[in-house]
Amino acid sequence: MRWYRSSIGKKVLMAASGLVLLGFVAMHLLGNLLIYQGPDALNAYAKKLRDLGLLLWAARGGLLVALVVHVWTSIALSLENRRARPQRYAVQRTRETTIAARSMLVSGVMVTAYLVYHLLHFTFRVTNPDISHAMDRFGHPDVYAMVVLSFQQPAISIAYIIGMAAVCLHLSHGIGSACQSLGLNDERTIPAVAFIGRLIAVVLFIGYTAIPLSVLAGLVTIRGTLP
Ligand code: HEM
């Protein structure tokens, strides 16, 4: 308990839970990229995940714990920081230089909002019930059709692109920062690790946004992908 109450304890928990969430975001992208192999590949992948049964629920439970720990520790740490320095500086001399570093709280709130919308859209399927309950030719939920029909609507694609920009902005500072909290780098390697963190965020942003953009460009259609 004493360890948790210290700032270092909270920072380590925030960093470790953040890296768990990063692992999910990377794996989720690899799964989603199956959309380029057509409906059967993506729908079979979604079915395989559902067939994991208890294991899937255990993974979902782990993710939820990581998310709660991450949000909880970030709120506790920013309240502690504010208490330690109740008066704002007359002249704001920011040591943190990048936009990503200065907007961690704002991008974190945007990521949470995006996640709530995303789960209502694709997991609970309440925002677009008209296109969310189709079955494919094998009688399994047609996740492919749900994604393509959704992203054919520019407003939904734009909402996703903004949400994923927030996710990647958050990661572009978060990855390097988490490595530092966990002591995975030292004075010498801080710049290199920060660079790798930003690179991972950019790759994830390109990979994720390519999906709605490919649908809007007509490269991925309801019948499959263009050769
Ligand atoms: C092009 C972008 C994305 C697409 C097409 C997409 C697609 C999907 C689909 C289809 C599902 C529901 C799977 C099912 O119930 O069969 C899902 C669930 C989910 N997505 Fe995404 N996703 C995208 C981006 C993201 C991002 C950036 C995040 C994280 C910040 C994310 C986090 C989640 C989570 C946490 C779930 C719930 C997982 C579960 O129920 O086990 N997604 N996504």
Side-chain angles (χ1 to χ4, degrees):
M1 263 334 261
R2 197 184 308 152
W3 179 77
Y4 168 74
R5 281 205 201 100
S6 70
S7 282
I8 282 291
K10 287 194 202 76
K11 273 189 186 156
V12 167
L13 283 176
M14 181 161 72
S17 55
L19 291 184
V20 169
L21 295 170
L22 168 68
F24 168 79
V25 172
M27 296 307 292
H28 191 47
L29 174 61
L30 290 181
N32 285 335
L33 288 177
L34 287 171
I35 200 164
Y36 293 108
Q37 286 185 23
D40 291 353
L42 187 65
N43 292 344
Y45 169 71
K47 181 179 180 311
K48 226 180 255 169
L49 281 185
R50 280 193 305 274
D51 287 349
L52 289 177
L54 266 184
L55 213 60
L56 175 66
W57 283 103
R60 283 174 165 166
L63 263 185
L64 190 64
V65 170
L67 188 66
V68 169
V69 167
H70 195 72
V71 173
W72 182 266
T73 48
S74 62
I75 293 173
L77 276 169
S78 67
L79 288 178
E80 263 173 34
N81 285 346
R82 202 159 290 186
R83 241 177 269 133
R85 181 167 50 81
Q87 222 139 31
R88 283 179 167 267
Y89 293 122
V91 179
Q92 195 84 23
R93 261 187 238 275
T94 37
R95 206 164 42 85
E96 311 257 46
T97 47
T98 63
I99 295 176
R102 277 180 272 133
S103 57
M104 285 306 271
L105 213 56
V106 174
S107 60
V109 171
M110 284 177 72
V111 171
T112 311
Y114 164 74
L115 206 53
V116 170
Y117 167 65
H118 182 49
L119 292 181
L120 290 175
H121 181 202
F122 281 159
T123 299
F124 300 111
R125 302 176 190 189
V126 293
T127 58
N128 296 77
D130 45 325
I131 53 172
S132 300
H133 297 286
M135 294 291 169
D136 68 8
R137 63 198 177 104
F138 302 110
H140 303 136
D142 198 343
V143 174
Y144 179 94
M146 176 174 74
V147 173
V148 173
L149 290 173
S150 294
F151 289 156
Q152 279 176 347
Q153 302 180 35
I156 295 184
S157 278
I158 291 169
Y160 266 80
I161 291 169
I162 294 172
M164 291 179 305
V167 171
C168 296
L169 187 68
H170 197 75
L171 289 176
S172 74
H173 177 71
I175 298 172
S177 180
C179 291
Q180 205 161 329
S181 298
L182 294 173
L184 299 177
N185 52 9
D186 55 35
E187 281 299 321
R188 211 169 32 86
T189 53
I190 284 175
V193 172
F195 175 76
I196 293 169
R198 269 181 241 130
L199 195 65
I200 293 174
V202 170
V203 169
L204 289 171
F205 182 69
I206 293 172
Y208 270 117
T209 50
I211 298 174
L213 291 177
S214 302
V215 173
L216 283 177
L219 298 171
V220 174
T221 69
I222 197 66
R223 278 179 300 280
T225 51
L226 293 183

